[in-house]
Amino acid sequence: MTDETTAYTPIPAEIKDGFEIRDVHFSYNGSDTEVLKGISFKIKAGEKIAFVGQNGAGKTTLIKLILRFYEPTKGEILLDGINISQFNKQEYRKRFGVIFQDFFKYEFSLRENIAVGNIEEIENDTMINDAAQRSLADQVVAVMTGGIDQQLGRRFAKGQELSGGQWQKVALARAYMKDADVIVLDEPTSALDAQAEYDVFERFIGLTKGKTSIIISHRFSTVRMADRILVLEDGIVAEIGTHEELMAAPQLYEQLF
């Protein structure tokens, strides 16, 4: 347990090497069943890596360990050779832009919904509109009577409800609201059709050049855009490589594809 007097290791100003997940095991409190069973791999600085696998394989759990929502039962996660447990947790998390599948739909204004990603910039129209343009949420803004300040949610007299796809573009804009070193997208576009998701991710790959990114998606048109693909099966790393490498050596990825 830490307190205000804890001496934390400074977080690297720039990620140079990346992450190393070293023999990581994890089980939930009170459970003898391991969700992750000795995971080891590296994420290079600036790399786009996709996690794939069937439901329950441990993909989201692994992301939450990297984000320090959980701590490994055994093993360690390193950033540029330093165990991430040595960093101040809140300062560490500020280096990430994260959108989960179960993101919140706030009955705020459109502006406020986007600014949640970096609430200190709520009055920064340039930053908010740029984030909306990057995520294609500008298409949502364009059809709103109140524009960026349109009230959302049916409980308000002039509130506007959004479709699932519109909500996801707004949620994605939150990830663009800060200049994060690492972007994490956990099934953030599941309500979009295949073409819309492809368009969103094609833009994402171009706009995050040089940034480290972790992507979970069940659509292989999206996954194959990643530099490397990590295949999880029952809590272990079954395969890792490029799309072409994994298709050339038929195992689980090739079956899923």
Side-chain angles (χ1 to χ4, degrees), residues 22-114:
R22 185 183 291 172
D23 191 30
V24 165
H25 295 247
F26 179 76
S27 57
Y28 291 99
N29 286 337
S31 173
D32 294 328
T33 303
E34 285 194 322
V35 180
L36 299 176
K37 306 169 183 177
I39 298 285
S40 294
F41 67 97
K42 294 182 179 181
I43 303 173
K44 303 169 190 173
E47 182 178 33
K48 308 282 186 293
I49 189 166
F51 295 170
V52 304
Q54 297 173 323
N55 291 337
K59 303 184 297 296
T60 297
T61 299
L62 181 53
I63 282 178
K64 290 183 176 180
L65 284 166
I66 293 172
L67 292 169
R68 293 195 64 195
F69 291 157
Y70 306 134
E71 301 293 337
T73 309
K74 177 185 174 185
E76 57 184 348
I77 299 174
L78 310 174
L79 173 60
D80 281 2
I82 303 168
N83 191 312
I84 61 173
S85 66
Q86 296 181 30
F87 302 132
N88 177 283
K89 189 179 292 186
Q90 299 308 316
E91 292 301 315
Y92 173 75
R93 287 180 183 162
K94 286 180 181 179
R95 307 294 285 272
F96 291 82
V98 185
I99 297 296
F100 288 109
Q101 183 177 10
D102 54 349
F103 58 83
F104 285 103
K105 302 174 182 179
Y106 299 106
E107 293 199 346
F108 300 159
S109 69
L110 196 47
R111 169 194 298 277
E112 291 164 335
N113 262 279
I114 294 173

Side-chain angles (χ1 to χ4, degrees), residues 15 42 72 98 117 119 131 168 182 188 194 215 224 229 232 236 241 257:
I15 297 175
K42 294 182 179 181
V98 185
I119 201 64
Q168 288 195 303
V182 186
I215 302 162
R224 66 190 301 170
I229 300 158
L232 286 170
I236 64 170
F257 190 83

